[in-house]
Amino acid sequence: MSSRGIGFKGITDKVAIIGMGCTPFGEHWDMSLDDLIREAAYCAYQSAGIDQDAVDAFWFGTAQSAASGIAMASALGVRDKPVTRVENYCATGSDALRAACYGVASGAYDVVLALGAEKVKDSGYQGLNAFPIPNAGTQLNVTAAARYAMVLEAYAAKYGLDVERARYVAAKIAEKNHRNGALNPLAQFQREISAEKICEMPPVAGRLSVYDCAGVADGAAAAIVCRAEDASKYCDTPLYVKAMALVTGDGTGVVDPSYDYTTFPEVVASAQAAYAQAGISDPRGQLALAEVHDCFTPTELILMEDLGFADRGFAHQAVVNGRFSLGADLVDLAVNTDGGLKACGHPVGASGLRMVYEIWLQLRGEAPAERAILAEHRQRGLGLTQNLGGYPGELVSFVGIFGTS
């Protein structure tokens, strides 16, 4: 996939995040969508030291909890201001933030709110492919877990891994992310589990067990955005937007016999564009940490190579050697320090903003000490988020880079 024309120019250093908020992710039987929206928004307002009257416009990301911006306007009591509802599969939260940032960069607004929320645990739906949409019978009838399970088999075949070894590598990803999630009070699953125990579990799709799959959760996350030159009015330590790249595939990968499931071309293209915008030539050496879309454990394995964190065919070694783990002796950069989708859960509209919230905490030195990144890495001052939606061969991918200076 060519990266030409997908935004090398960008809005680098034109926009800053001055406040953020995030609810716990989980089974919120005692909270409505309105409650989640209000909690995330008010935490973000408090973080930025503003009230809602200071916000000029609102972007609301939700995949299946509401059909328009009215849901957010009603929850927050917003009147006579624009509220735009955004949906882009599992990249919904990131796309809401992207739209908000471009709204500020255009000069149309001074201060805006981007918020993602999902309330699905008590709605009868369990994920994006739960809707019983009638079709002609010609569409693929394979679950998301099964499609990403194919990735693990394909990777093993291409790089000569024994399939049981590949299965262990995927389990090591889950082990790492559950270990990080156990240190995160906002995570849905706060329990460590070993790769060996995961490998003993019965499969639910291919060789993947339930512990290889992100949890379905309720939750919300929010960001307050303003022009970079105004950030010091609100915040001593803002996050500056260094890059935002969104690539939407055309879906032809699922019918292309040459597509081998060991790379996500949309991720590669969005990463290339984001690195060009931010001036990054060595992501392993320049980034302090990364939050990536580990909807299933094989996804993170492929992302380590597509994002340039590991050489092609060698991510499996880096995973087993702990190169992406917190506090590891050989760590290149820590990945999914809050537990990722795997441990945090995946309220679709909120996940992209939750990733940015973790960058916000880590780079500003506010993450709990037990899961803070290495001091020498934090000094790099740059964090990456990668948020995707769809399936191998038909993806939308967002890559954002944020910095403290």
Side-chain angles (χ1 to χ4, degrees):
M1 176 180 290
S2 171
S3 58
R4 183 180 61 187
I6 58 175
F8 281 121
K9 187 175 181 181
I11 55 171
T12 304
D13 289 332
K14 294 181 179 179
V15 175
I17 298 172
I18 55 171
M20 293 204 72
C22 188
T23 73
F25 285 8
E27 299 181 352
H28 290 300
W29 307 110
D30 58 341
M31 295 182 74
S32 67
L33 178 66
D34 287 2
D35 294 329
L36 293 168
I37 290 171
R38 282 192 288 264
E39 181 172 328
Y42 295 158
C43 286
Y45 297 153
Q46 183 178 24
S47 174
I50 64 172
D51 58 30
Q52 187 164 280
D53 290 341
V55 179
D56 300 321
F58 303 76
W59 274 265
F60 174 40
T62 189
Q64 57 191 60
S65 297
S68 80
I70 291 174
M72 183 173 171
S74 174
L76 296 178
V78 174
R79 291 180 178 270
D80 303 323
K81 291 182 179 181
V83 183
T84 304
R85 185 250 182 175
V86 177
E87 191 277 320
N88 209 351
Y89 278 175
C90 297
T92 291
S94 294
D95 217 359
L97 177 62
R98 186 178 74 102
C101 288
Y102 274 83
V104 168
S106 73
Y109 306 108
D110 295 329
V111 177
V112 304
L113 171 70
L115 186 147
E118 215 69 64
K119 177 64 176 166
V120 293
K121 288 301 294 184
D122 50 3
S123 68
Y125 296 120
Q126 294 295 304
L128 283 175
N129 56 354
F131 289 105
I133 301 172
N135 63 73
T138 57
Q139 293 181 351
L140 290 174
N141 186 23
V142 183
T143 66
R147 295 198 199 189
Y148 283 96
M150 296 176 190
V151 168
L152 188 63
E153 303 283 344
Y155 187 92
K158 182 171 183 176
Y159 295 114
L161 270 70
D162 177 83
V163 290
E164 291 306 317
R165 176 65 173 179
R167 199 275 162 274
Y168 178 72
V169 171
K172 287 295 287 185
I173 291 171
E175 177 186 87
K176 168 182 70 72
N177 291 348
H178 276 279
R179 183 169 59 247
N180 294 347
L183 302 173
N184 180 6
L186 300 183
Q188 182 179 23
F189 304 115
Q190 299 174 32
R191 173 187 173 187
E192 292 190 47
I193 186 167
S194 70
E196 290 74 17
K197 286 289 186 183
I198 295 171
C199 288
E200 293 171 1
M201 293 180 175
V204 296
R207 285 178 168 79
L208 303 186
S209 77
V210 69
Y211 266 74
D212 290 283
C213 310
V216 178
D218 303 327
I224 306 290
V225 177
C226 75
R227 286 188 296 272
E229 61 264 30
D230 296 332
S232 61
K233 299 177 183 177
Y234 306 97
C235 180
D236 292 334
T237 52
L239 276 189
Y240 296 97
V241 175
K242 300 294 182 178
M244 285 186 159
L246 182 79
V247 168
T248 305
D250 60 5
T252 57
V254 294
V255 294
D256 182 355
S258 69
Y259 179 60
D260 70 358
Y261 281 79
T262 65
T263 182
F264 305 139
E266 299 89 345
V267 174
V268 174
S270 55
Q272 288 175 351
Y275 293 157
Q277 291 173 25
I280 289 178
S281 57
D282 175 21
R284 275 181 283 190
Q286 291 175 263
L287 294 171
L289 76 159
E291 288 286 310
V292 306
H293 196 96
D294 59 321
C295 49
F296 302 94
T297 49
T299 316
E300 182 170 326
L301 177 66
I302 301 302
L303 292 175
M304 295 304 92
E305 297 181 7
D306 282 351
L307 293 169
F309 300 165
D311 295 336
R312 289 287 174 195
F314 289 92
H316 64 97
Q317 295 180 5
V319 166
V320 173
N321 291 337
R323 301 298 291 265
F324 310 119
S325 300
L326 275 170
D329 291 338
L330 297 175
V331 66
D332 287 325
L333 74 163
V335 175
N336 288 338
T337 55
D338 61 357
L341 280 71
K342 178 77 269 298
C344 285
H346 182 30
V348 173
S351 286
L353 279 154
R354 184 270 304 160
M355 296 176 182
V356 182
Y357 182 72
E358 179 66 6
I359 303 297
W360 169 266
L361 293 179
Q362 291 281 2
L363 292 187
R364 299 168 76 249
E366 295 182 357
E370 59 270 22
R371 65 178 177 88
I373 58 175
L374 297 173
E376 57 265 36
H377 285 185
R378 184 184 160 203
Q379 291 171 2
R380 299 173 185 175
L382 293 173
L384 175 145
T385 67
Q386 188 283 323
N387 189 201
L388 62 78
Y391 308 101
E394 48 179 350
L395 289 175
V396 55
S397 174
F398 171 88
V399 174
I401 299 172
F402 307 89
T404 51
S405 62

